[in-house]
Amino acid sequence: MSTKKKRSVRTDSDSWVVIAPDTALDSGRSDDSDPCFVKLKNPATGSSSMYLFGSGDLSVHEVKAFSDDYRSWFIGQAAQRDGRLLYVTPIDPLFLLLPYIRSVAIEGKFQQVNQMVMDEEFPGCSRLLQCKQGLDCLYHVTDEKDVGGKKFHRFNNEKTLEWLQKKVQITVNTLKKNNISVGRGVKSSMYVRVKQEDATEEDYLYYAHGLISEYISDDLSKDLLKHLQLPEISSPKETEPPSKKRKLSDKPVEPGDDYSKFNSADFSRKPPKKMTAAQKNLAKTDKTGMKSLASFFSPKVKQEKN
Amino acid sequence: MDLSNFEVDNSVSCRLSSSIPDACRTEDCCLGIDEAGRGPVLGPMVYGICFCPVSRKEDLKNLKVADSKTLTEAERENLFLKLDEVKGFIGWALQILSPNTISTSMLQRAKYNLNALSHDAAIGLVQYALDSGVQLKEVFVDTVGPAEKYQEKLSQRFPGVEVTVRPKADSLFPIVSAASICAKVARDHAVKSWKFAEDLGDVDTDYGSGYPNDPKTKSWLLKYLDPVFGYPQFVRFSWSTAQTLMDSKAVAVHWDDDEEDGEKAAARKNNTSMLSYFSREKPSEVSQSRDTHRFFTERKLQSINTL
Amino acid sequence: MMSANSCVTTIQRDSLKQADNPQIHLLPCEIEHDGPAEVSKFFNPTVKERKHEKTVSFRGRGLKGQELQCPQGYTGVVLKEVQKPASDQEDRIVKVSSVFHNFTYWNLETPPTSDDGVVMAMTWPQVAEAIHGAVDV
C-alpha cells in the first residue's frame, strides 16, 4: 500500500457549523442589532475567549467547540474540512461582570456599574451593560445604594458565595436529572461504569463546584469550596478518573486493571477511540491561537498535486 | 445463473447455492474449491465449491469440465448449464465477496488480509456443505499461497476429511475445475451486470479485464475517479492501483489510525512538548490555572478565542 | 493584541430567511477539502439503514452512524463568511447559509453508542442552562 500523506496545515475557515439557542439568533424584534461574536475576558482565566451577543445585545452566550481530531462535515453537496461543532449556550452575564466588580472592591466605594465595567483590552465588555439578566441581578453580588435615581454598587463577598452556592445546587439537580456520571467511575467501554446511584451527594457537589469554577477566579473557587463545607482536595486530579492521572506520561492511556485477557494483538495495539496522553494534553490546550506555531513544525506539508 | 440475491445488496457478501443432491447425503463425497477474481481491482471475488459422490467421479469427467482459464466465456456458460443439469449428483455453492467487503475488510483497523479473507470464505463453504449433510471424505483445493500451511489449517479445521491443497488443482482434479467454472461464471455475470449503488447515471461498462495492467481498466479508473469519494463501491479501494490514483488525483483524507511515518510522529511529539512549554510561559495567552473540568474534556468541548 | 480583541463578527439575521435545509453528516476523518462534493451521487444512495444504526463506506472504510437531534430550543446553523477580511484586525460579517435540526454522525467501524463524544456533547446546553440560569432569591 502506498504511504499515507501528511496532513497539511489547516487554513482559516470561512464556514462554521454551529448549534445555538433559537432566541440567540432572533430576538423577535426587527429593529434590534444583529447578533455578533465578541471577544471578552474569560472570568476564570483572564484570557481572551469568544462570546456571542444575541440580537440587540440583550443576551450573552459562550462559545465552545466540540473538537474531535479527524472530523469533517458534509453539508448538502459540499465538504467542510473543519469538523468542529460550535455550541452557543447562554452564560450568566453576572459571571462576566464579576471580575470587574471585584477588581474595584478594594477601594470599598460604591460605584455605578458603567464606571466599573470598562476595559481597554476588551472594549466589547460594555455590551454587557445591555444584558438585562446581569443588570437586574447585581444585588446577588453587591450591596446597592440608590442616590438621586442612580444605582451604586459595592462588591459583597458573602452575597456572592450565597449566590454561587445556589448555582451549585441548581447544577447538582440538573446533573442528577440528566444522569450525568459524576462519580470516580469513568465513562469508557474499557471500564465498568459506576452506577449513578453509587455517586454520593459529595460527588455531585464537587462536580458542580468544578463546573461553576469554570466561570470564576481561582480564589473565589477556593472560597466557594469552603463555603460549601467541602474539604479541599490536595490535587484536583484526585477527583478525576484514573485514565487522566497519567497525563504527563507519553505512553498510551491504559486501564489500571488487568485487561490482559483481552490482549489480542489488535486490541492492545490500538484501543479504539482512545487518545494518547499526549493527544489528550493537546486537545485540552486551547490550540486556536497556535496555528503559526504548529505550521512551524510542519514546514513542507503542502500536498503535492500532479 | 441467477444473481438476484446478491444484486439486492451488492455491498455485502452473499451465498448462492444449488439444491443438495440426495446422493451426496448418503454416499461418500469429494468436494473441490476454487476462486475467481482474486487479482482484479474491480468487482467481487467469488469462492466456489462443487461436490459429488466419489462413485460419480467418472460421470463428472465425462462432462469434460476443464480449468476455467483455458475456456472461453461461452464455453464456461455452457459447462455451468451442464453442471446445473446433473442436479441428481452434483451440487455447488458460491460465496460472493463484494468489492466493498474486500475494501472495508482489508482497510479495517484490525487488518484482515486477502488470504485470511479467502481462507475464511473457503472454510465457510466447506462448513456449509457439512451442515447440509454432505458426506465429505475428500476435499481438493486450488491455492495461490503456500500449499502446506493451508492444507494443515483445513485438515485441522475438518478432521476426518482428507484435504489436498495443490497449486493448479483446477487442471488436475475435475471437481476443482467444476468449482472454478461455477465461480468464474458468477464473477463474469456480477461484473457484466454490475448494479451501481451510486447514482452515476449510465456508466461506461467497458472496464476491460479488471486487472490493473489492462489499459481499458486503467482508463476506466481515471474516468470514474471522484476527487472526494474516490470510487464507487465497485472498485477495491484496498488495491494499490486505486490508492495510487487517489493519492495523486483526489483530495487527501486522514483517519485516526493512519500510520504515521517517523518524521511525522517526531514532529507531532515535538509539537506537543513545545506547545505545553509555551503555555507555561505565556500565562495571559493560553494557560489556564486549573485543568479544564472533566465534564468538558470527556465531551471534547473547549473554549475558543477565535472562530 | 488589543485591536484583535475589539473585532466583532456579525451574523446577518436577514440571511436566515434564505438559508437552505441540507442533509448534514459528521465524518470520522479529516477531508482536506472545502468545497463541492457529490454527496447525493456517491454517499446518500449507499447509506444502509439497519435497526439501530446506519452503515456506509467512504474511501473503502466502513462507517457506522446514527442521527442526532439538536437539543430542544436549539437550531443548527451553518455560518459562512460573506467577504473574506483583508486582515485579522477587521470586523467580519457572516451569513446563515444553512439551517438544520438533526445530522448524522459517523464512527469509523465502531457502532454508535451514548458514550460517543458527539452524543455526550449534546447534553451541554441543558447543563449550561442550569449553570447560567437566573437564580431566584
Side-chain angles (χ1 to χ4, degrees), chain B residues 243-274:
Chain B
Q243 293 276 343
T244 310
L245 283 169
M246 284 191 293
D247 279 351
S248 66
K249 304 226 183 304
V251 301
V253 171
H254 309 280
W255 304 88
D256 67 359
D257 60 351
D258 283 351
E259 274 152 46
E260 296 187 15
D261 57 43
E263 192 189 344
K264 181 177 167 186
R268 188 186 264 262
K269 227 172 149 182
N270 252 332
N271 213 341
T272 313
S273 58
M274 281 307 275

Side-chain angles (χ1 to χ4, degrees), chain A residues 7-8 14 16 18 20 22 25 32 35 37 71-72 74 76-77 79 81 92 133 140 167 174 178 193 273, chain C residues 9 11 13 23 25 27 30-32 34-35 37 40 73 75 77 79 81 106 115-116 126 131-133 135:
Chain A
R7 287 165 95 177
S8 73
D14 61 356
W16 303 268
V18 182
D22 304 337
L25 296 173
D32 280 339
F37 292 100
R71 287 272 182 199
S72 291
F74 284 151
Q77 302 306 304
R81 181 178 179 183
D92 191 333
Q133 193 195 336
H140 281 311
K167 284 212 175 269
T174 297
N178 286 286
R193 190 198 272 271
K273 303 204 305 172
Chain C
T9 303
I11 304 173
R13 246 192 314 165
Q23 270 193 45
H25 298 275
L27 294 149
E30 184 176 351
I31 304 168
E32 279 193 22
D34 285 294
S40 65
T75 303
V77 292
L79 302 179
E81 186 127 47
W106 296 96
D115 280 350
D116 288 329
Q126 253 185 306
I131 298 172
H132 298 290
V135 170

Side-chain angles (χ1 to χ4, degrees), chain A residues 166-297:
Chain A
K166 281 179 189 141
K167 284 212 175 269
V168 167
Q169 200 49 56
I170 295 170
T171 306
V172 164
N173 295 343
T174 297
L175 292 171
K176 287 179 178 169
K177 210 175 78 196
N178 286 286
N179 279 320
I180 288 166
S181 165
V182 299
R184 270 143 254 234
V186 194
K187 58 117 267 164
S188 160
S189 51
M190 301 287 282
Y191 296 92
V192 180
R193 190 198 272 271
V194 168
K195 282 197 211 103
Q196 214 47 40
E197 54 261 37
D198 293 346
T200 64
E201 196 60 28
E202 206 171 75
D203 288 335
Y204 279 106
L205 282 173
Y206 270 119
Y207 199 93
H209 169 266
L211 284 172
I212 300 290
S213 297
E214 292 277 319
Y215 301 94
I216 53 178
S217 66
D218 238 350
D219 50 343
L220 200 50
S221 165
K222 282 187 183 126
D223 285 353
L224 178 59
L225 205 60
K226 271 187 222 132
H227 190 75
L228 293 167
Q229 296 177 316
L230 292 171
E232 197 169 331
I233 299 165
S234 52
S235 152
K237 277 163 200 132
E238 264 174 50
T239 53
E240 296 210 344
S243 64
K244 302 262 168 63
K245 282 192 184 167
R246 302 193 193 168
K247 228 168 279 189
L248 296 174
S249 131
D250 236 349
K251 288 183 201 120
V253 178
E254 274 168 352
D257 289 328
D258 181 15
Y259 284 86
S260 53
K261 60 184 164 177
F262 300 127
N263 264 351
S264 81
D266 295 311
F267 200 83
S268 59
R269 192 187 62 226
K270 195 152 273 195
K273 303 204 305 172
K274 287 217 124 192
M275 290 197 288
T276 63
Q279 280 174 309
K280 280 194 176 176
N281 267 343
L282 197 60
K284 285 172 75 171
T285 320
D286 185 354
K287 283 173 283 190
T288 41
M290 301 180 181
K291 258 169 209 150
S292 55
L293 198 62
S295 55
F296 172 70
F297 285 106

Side-chain angles (χ1 to χ4, degrees), chain B residues 29-33 119 122-123 126 130 136-143 146-166 169 173 176:
Chain B
C29 289
C30 61
L31 180 148
I33 309 178
H119 290 182
I123 287 168
V126 174
L130 286 170
L136 273 192
K137 280 290 161 304
E138 307 166 356
V139 168
F140 300 91
V141 191
D142 199 353
T143 186
E148 292 83 19
K149 263 194 162 169
Y150 192 15
Q151 178 153 334
E152 202 181 298
K153 186 172 173 181
L154 287 173
S155 302
Q156 265 178 5
R157 184 71 173 67
F158 301 108
V161 178
E162 191 187 318
V163 180
T164 309
V165 179
R166 192 73 60 79
F173 309 105
V176 178

Side-chain angles (χ1 to χ4, degrees), chain A residues 2 5 50 65 213-214 283, chain B residues 247 290 293-294 300 302 304:
Chain A
S2 57
K5 277 194 196 170
M50 187 67 83
S213 297
E214 292 277 319
Chain B
D247 279 351
R290 291 165 300 213
H293 193 271
R294 76 182 144 101
K300 296 172 180 167
Q302 49 189 246
I304 58 172

Side-chain angles (χ1 to χ4, degrees), chain A residues 6-8 10 13-22 25-26 29-30 32-39 48 52 55 62 64 66 70-81 83 87-92 95 121-123 127 133 139-140 163 166-167 170-171 174 178 180 187 193 212 215 273 303, chain C residues 2 4-13 22-40 43 58 70-71 73-81 84 92 94 98 100 103 106-107 110 115-118 120-122 124-137:
Chain A
K6 291 175 185 171
R7 287 165 95 177
S8 73
R10 193 182 295 175
S13 318
D14 61 356
S15 179
W16 303 268
V17 181
V18 182
I19 285 183
D22 304 337
L25 296 173
D26 206 336
R29 292 167 22 181
S30 57
D32 280 339
S33 60
D34 280 337
C36 60
F37 292 100
V38 173
K39 285 177 198 174
S48 161
L52 177 88
S55 299
E62 68 174 314
K64 283 195 187 291
F66 166 77
Y70 300 99
R71 287 272 182 199
S72 291
W73 293 97
F74 284 151
I75 301 161
Q77 302 306 304
Q80 179 185 305
R81 181 178 179 183
Y87 278 91
V88 169
T89 52
I91 183 167
D92 191 333
F95 281 128
E121 201 184 339
F122 295 98
R127 289 172 189 257
Q133 193 195 336
Y139 65 90
H140 281 311
W163 170 68
K166 281 179 189 141
K167 284 212 175 269
I170 295 170
T171 306
T174 297
N178 286 286
I180 288 166
K187 58 117 267 164
R193 190 198 272 271
I212 300 290
Y215 301 94
K273 303 204 305 172
Q303 114 188 35
Chain C
M2 270 162 59
N5 282 339
S6 66
C7 292
V8 303
T9 303
T10 306
I11 304 173
Q12 291 180 334
R13 246 192 314 165
Q23 270 193 45
I24 304 220
H25 298 275
L26 180 58
L27 294 149
C29 55
E30 184 176 351
I31 304 168
E32 279 193 22
H33 176 63
D34 285 294
E38 305 253 44
V39 181
S40 65
F43 197 80
F58 177 64
C70 292
Y74 284 70
T75 303
V77 292
V78 180
L79 302 179
K80 272 214 158 67
E81 186 127 47
K84 199 114 190 112
R92 305 165 83 171
V94 298
S98 306
F100 61 94
F103 64 89
W106 296 96
N107 287 342
T110 49
D115 280 350
D116 288 329
V118 210
M120 299 217 337
M122 280 290 172
W124 167 228
Q126 253 185 306
V127 174
E129 275 163 25
I131 298 172
H132 298 290
V135 170
D136 296 330
V137 195

